Amino acid sequence: MAGTNSERPLLAEGPAIILVEPQMGENIGMVARAMANFGLVELRLVNPRDGWPNERAQATASKADHIIEATKVYDTLEQAIADLNFVYATTARERDGYKPVRSPVVAAETLRTKFKAGEGTGILFGRERWGLTNEEVALADEIVTFPVNPAFASLNIAQAVLLMSYEWMKSDMGDVAEVPFQAIEQRPSTKDQLFGLFDQLEEALDARNYFHPAGKKPKMVDNLRAVLSRRAFTEQEISVLRGVISSLDRFTRKSPRGSGSHPRSVKAPKETTSDDSNGE
């Protein structure tokens, strides 16, 4: 979904995302993009296989340049988390040990609480092929795991970061049902406008002998009106529908609108609800 807008404020906060020995620049770039989507900004790399900076990462970051350009690189995981107070390790498989295991929702809420308290926090993500080692998981305070299909639990690294980034943003929403925009409010149509649609459509169908045989016309009209009145149309929707009918009435396949051919003469509709009744 396209939605980048440089004129709106850029969210830039939250836990550091730490990738341990990432193998592909493309994945690093997609991680940066996922972070930018949900307001995370600090990316740390531990011994990236193809070095840093990486042109492929830049290309796949989709303009998350502020993250790519500020990315820090470390030789060891210990160095990458040395300044942090609390760290989660992500894993899809069960581990031996005594680390508490949390869901993404609980983990995000914990990270949000610690972030607001001024603590440095981070989330560890392992290699694309085999994730984190037990020794690396041991350096974290707690484990976070995702509720995935147990027979197909492997997540792409960017997908895993996206899930945690989404939960991070959601943890600060007062209402989880909140959305950033709503449908444009439109005036509901009046019954008179709906009756005008009935008349126009029935006249156009009648001219084509749609209501055949004649004895069934009353029932066919009732059925047609029942379909069109099942939901409350807006004024604009009535206008669009009537514009469609007018176009079908006035132009043929062989002489479409704009072809220079003279349109067919048709009976004027009972009422036009707006100047754009041709659906434009």
Side-chain angles (χ1 to χ4, degrees):
M1 295 186 295
T4 302
N5 187 341
S6 60
E7 297 180 358
R8 303 190 69 176
L10 179 70
L11 297 178
E13 59 179 19
I17 298 297
I18 304 149
L19 307 185
V20 179
E21 296 186 353
Q23 296 166 277
M24 298 180 63
E26 292 88 343
N27 285 339
I28 298 173
M30 288 188 286
V31 163
R33 179 179 183 178
M35 293 171 60
N37 285 152
F38 297 104
L40 297 177
V41 70
E42 187 175 357
L43 178 60
R44 302 183 181 188
L45 307 179
V46 177
N47 191 26
R49 184 190 67 182
D50 296 336
W52 193 261
N54 187 299
E55 291 183 0
R56 294 177 180 175
Q58 187 87 41
T60 55
S62 295
K63 299 184 179 180
D65 298 330
H66 61 293
I67 295 176
I68 293 294
E69 292 169 3
T71 296
K72 298 176 182 177
V73 180
Y74 301 84
D75 293 328
T76 67
L77 177 56
E78 288 84 352
Q79 293 172 353
I81 64 175
D83 63 327
L84 302 180
N85 304 105
F86 185 90
V87 175
Y88 271 111
T90 60
T91 180
R93 64 180 186 272
E94 189 173 347
R95 304 277 185 159
D96 295 330
Y98 301 96
K99 302 283 184 185
V101 181
R102 310 299 187 191
S103 71
V105 173
V106 173
E109 291 173 349
T110 300
L111 289 168
R112 179 70 65 176
T113 299
K114 292 182 178 297
F115 173 78
K116 288 181 177 180
E119 295 185 32
T121 59
I123 313 173
L124 306 182
F125 297 86
R127 303 152 189 83
E128 289 92 328
R129 294 184 62 186
W130 67 87
L132 296 167
T133 66
N134 289 333
E135 291 75 17
E136 289 161 347
V137 172
L139 296 177
D141 297 278
E142 296 183 0
I143 290 172
V144 58
T145 192
F146 304 100
V148 293
N149 182 349
F152 199 81
S154 176
L155 286 174
N156 174 280
I157 188 173
Q159 293 174 324
V161 172
L162 182 72
L163 287 173
M164 282 306 303
S165 300
Y166 170 67
E167 292 298 341
W168 163 258
M169 172 165 275
K170 199 170 68 172
S171 69
D172 198 39
M173 294 173 60
D175 179 5
V176 294
E178 180 183 350
V179 292
F181 59 87
Q182 295 285 348
I184 298 174
E185 189 171 336
Q186 298 187 31
R187 286 170 53 88
S189 67
T190 64
K191 293 301 181 184
D192 188 57
Q193 290 168 333
L194 183 61
F195 298 155
L197 173 63
F198 290 163
D199 291 343
Q200 183 181 4
L201 180 57
E202 289 162 18
E203 191 281 330
L205 293 172
D206 206 19
R208 292 159 178 80
N209 200 28
Y210 173 80
F211 301 111
H212 179 81
K216 292 187 176 182
K217 179 178 178 179
K219 181 61 175 176
M220 295 175 74
V221 168
D222 286 345
N223 290 342
L224 182 62
R225 292 191 175 198
V227 169
L228 293 174
S229 60
R230 286 183 64 181
R231 55 153 290 171
F233 286 104
T234 66
E235 289 184 345
Q236 181 64 22
E237 289 169 335
I238 291 286
S239 178
V240 168
L241 288 172
R242 295 193 67 174
V244 169
I245 298 166
S246 293
S247 183
L248 293 174
D249 243 350
R250 292 169 60 84
F251 303 98
T252 68
R253 290 173 180 265
K254 292 183 179 180
S255 301
R257 185 176 183 178
S259 65
S261 302
H262 293 293
R264 294 182 295 193
S265 176
V266 296
K267 178 181 177 181
K270 175 182 176 182
E271 178 189 19
T272 300
T273 60
S274 68
D275 292 338
D276 61 347
S277 61
N278 62 1
E280 295 184 352

